Amino acid sequence: MKNVLLFSVTFFLLLFFTAFTAAQLHAQSVFDYEVHDTEREQPPIVDPGPAPAQPMPVPSDAIVLFDGSDFSHWVDSNGEEPQWLIENGYMEVVSRTGSIFSKEEFGDIQLYVEWATPEEIEGDGQGRGNSGVFFMNRYEIQVLDSYDNLTYPDGQAASVYAQYPPLVNASRAPGEWQSFNMIFRRPLFDPNGNLREPARVTVFHNNVLVHDNVPLIGPTGQSRAPYQMHEDKGPIRLQDHRDKVRFRNIWVRELPERRN
Ligand code: MG
């Protein structure tokens, strides 16, 4: 009888602590970690399946920002035609010609992008297939070759850069086409410039959920700078990080504003 009691008490204590620890883990915030904390757990690897043979179809109400043919929707930082390469239905970063910006500016959107890191592997960590997709020119979802290439979790492919690692690592091999399907909600400010609602983002990497409506703590970057009031709309930026990353099939759907 005594043994049964001891067993039951141990069992319930174990159950309690497991639940408690799980809740604690779940409640971890960005600020529990240093920027680029290498102690942060590596997201588990998920095989998303093979890349589709063709670019995915575009919804009828989407604004197509790149269909593989020209830079009509894009400028460089001088407002000129981007110096990136276009061939075979994709654009490719030309190192040191600078990041490029959508001419149209957006607030709340669904954004779809296909991208591929170089098939020929060069460099490692952040130096392998680095680029990025920025909302409103400020909030980066990282593009990186994270297939068999360890880096700090908050800087790997599909991370909200320096803030949130993806829930899982759904990367495909270098050279293969990958996709981001994303929902972005712009931050809201009161008339005095104080933050009323943080920006939020949901991201599917290769159809796998990697961010579920996470609140951004400010513009992405190593300084973790706080929000500064900005316009309701801003350009999408694609990053020149000196690697020959390719993009194709970029479209956006404007969303109704958040009500809160
Ligand atoms: Mg980047």
Side-chain angles (χ1 to χ4, degrees), residues 117-168:
T117 60
E119 191 169 0
E120 191 180 326
I121 294 170
E122 269 183 55
D124 57 15
Q126 292 290 303
R128 186 187 296 182
N130 196 333
S131 182
V133 181
F134 290 72
F135 294 97
M136 307 191 88
N137 196 20
R138 288 176 181 82
Y139 308 105
E140 180 184 13
I141 307 301
Q142 173 74 312
V143 168
L144 194 76
D145 175 3
S146 284
Y147 189 87
D148 199 17
N149 177 36
L150 273 190
T151 187
Y152 34 81
D154 70 3
Q156 72 171 65
S159 60
V160 177
Y161 189 74
Q163 295 187 20
Y164 297 98
L167 292 170
V168 295

Side-chain angles (χ1 to χ4, degrees), residues 42-115:
Q42 290 288 340
I45 291 171
V46 169
D47 180 355
Q54 297 295 323
M56 292 297 283
V58 178
S60 62
D61 65 347
I63 301 165
V64 177
L65 295 180
F66 183 68
D67 67 1
S69 57
D70 61 52
F71 282 123
S72 56
H73 290 269
W74 300 88
V75 287
D76 67 14
S77 60
N78 300 316
E80 308 285 335
E81 168 118 347
Q83 300 302 301
W84 293 14
L85 194 71
I86 293 182
E87 60 179 16
N88 304 324
Y90 57 77
M91 61 165 92
E92 185 179 287
V93 176
V94 174
S95 174
R96 298 180 193 275
T97 61
S99 298
I100 69 169
F101 306 82
S102 65
K103 289 180 183 172
E104 289 97 331
E105 303 200 340
F106 305 99
D108 290 1
I109 51 170
Q110 176 184 0
L111 175 62
Y112 181 84
V113 177
E114 295 181 7
W115 54 272

